[in-house]
Amino acid sequence: MREAEQSGAGRTPDRAGARELPGLTIRSRDEGDRTLVTVCGDLDLTTDQQLQCALRSALLRSLRGLELDLGGVGFCDCSGLNALLNIRRQALKDSKKVTIRHVSPAVERILEIMGALPLFTPDTAPDGQRHSDGALNAPPPVDGHGIDVRTEVVQLRRALQTRDTIDLARGILMAAFVLTPEEAWSVLVTTSQNTNTKLHLTARQLVDSIRGGPLPATTQEQLSAAVTQVTAARETAENPK
């Protein structure tokens, strides 16, 4: 078993593939025919491409796939989800599998919102629950051998499609209200929750409104309230009494 860790951005990754990226600490080690990748930090616009490079390198080195320890991820938005979905798609092409061994609340939340959590659950656990230490259990296998590959492909394609709409909606919010990527993400999620609407449907409403469609009154009301909330929080942070 090989294990390595590197501290300090910009260093050349060693043979085990561990590296430190801006905003992220990534360690990897081989465990039999799979590679365990441990990620700590934030998964957002500033780190998603770098994370994808690290995961692709680890996937290439592994024989059967990756296990991800994401228990140390403090923040995750659609950019982080993008990296996870892309490495899952590449693994399918290579006849490998990517599963999550431990998950933080931030990652679990976005995976559940997007309906993508089953794509990353292990095959051997009995009940589909998350333990108090963040370890994931998978739902009962469909056919005694795990989720059918065709089902995984459909789920993955759906998650990727809804992600694009959500990314577009977040960009609209950033431009319209001069928000940061994190603030726009918070506004979108808060609006979705307060209107009891799925995140991708809220995003679709916003995108359609830019194209001339009507924005539902409840969505507009909650969107304005969410924008006010995040801008007030920013002003408080920038000008503490």
Side-chain angles (χ1 to χ4, degrees), residues 124-146:
T124 56
D127 56 23
Q129 300 297 315
R130 184 165 70 91
H131 295 300
S132 59
D133 63 355
L136 284 177
N137 280 351
V142 173
D143 58 3
H145 300 285

Side-chain angles (χ1 to χ4, degrees), residues 48-60:
D48 66 328
Q49 292 298 320
Q50 297 159 308
L51 176 62
Q52 287 188 65
C53 290
L55 292 178
R56 283 196 297 266
S57 177
L59 182 65
L60 181 63

Side-chain angles (χ1 to χ4, degrees), residues 24 39 41-45 47-48 51 70 73-81 84 107:
L24 289 179
V39 181
D42 294 341
L43 304 184
D44 54 26
L45 280 172
T47 60
D48 66 328
L51 176 62
L70 305 178
V73 174
F75 176 81
C76 182
D77 61 11
C78 274
S79 301
L81 176 66
L84 297 177
V107 178

Side-chain angles (χ1 to χ4, degrees), residues 187-203 205 215-226:
V187 166
L188 201 57
V189 170
T190 300
T191 303
S192 169
Q193 293 175 336
N194 289 344
T195 58
N196 195 29
T197 306
K198 290 184 179 297
L199 185 64
H200 71 91
L201 294 178
T202 299
Q205 291 174 350
L215 186 64
T218 302
T219 301
Q220 185 171 0
E221 178 183 350
Q222 293 301 326
L223 184 67
S224 298

Side-chain angles (χ1 to χ4, degrees), residues 138-150:
V142 173
D143 58 3
H145 300 285
I147 299 174
D148 185 80
V149 172
R150 290 172 297 180

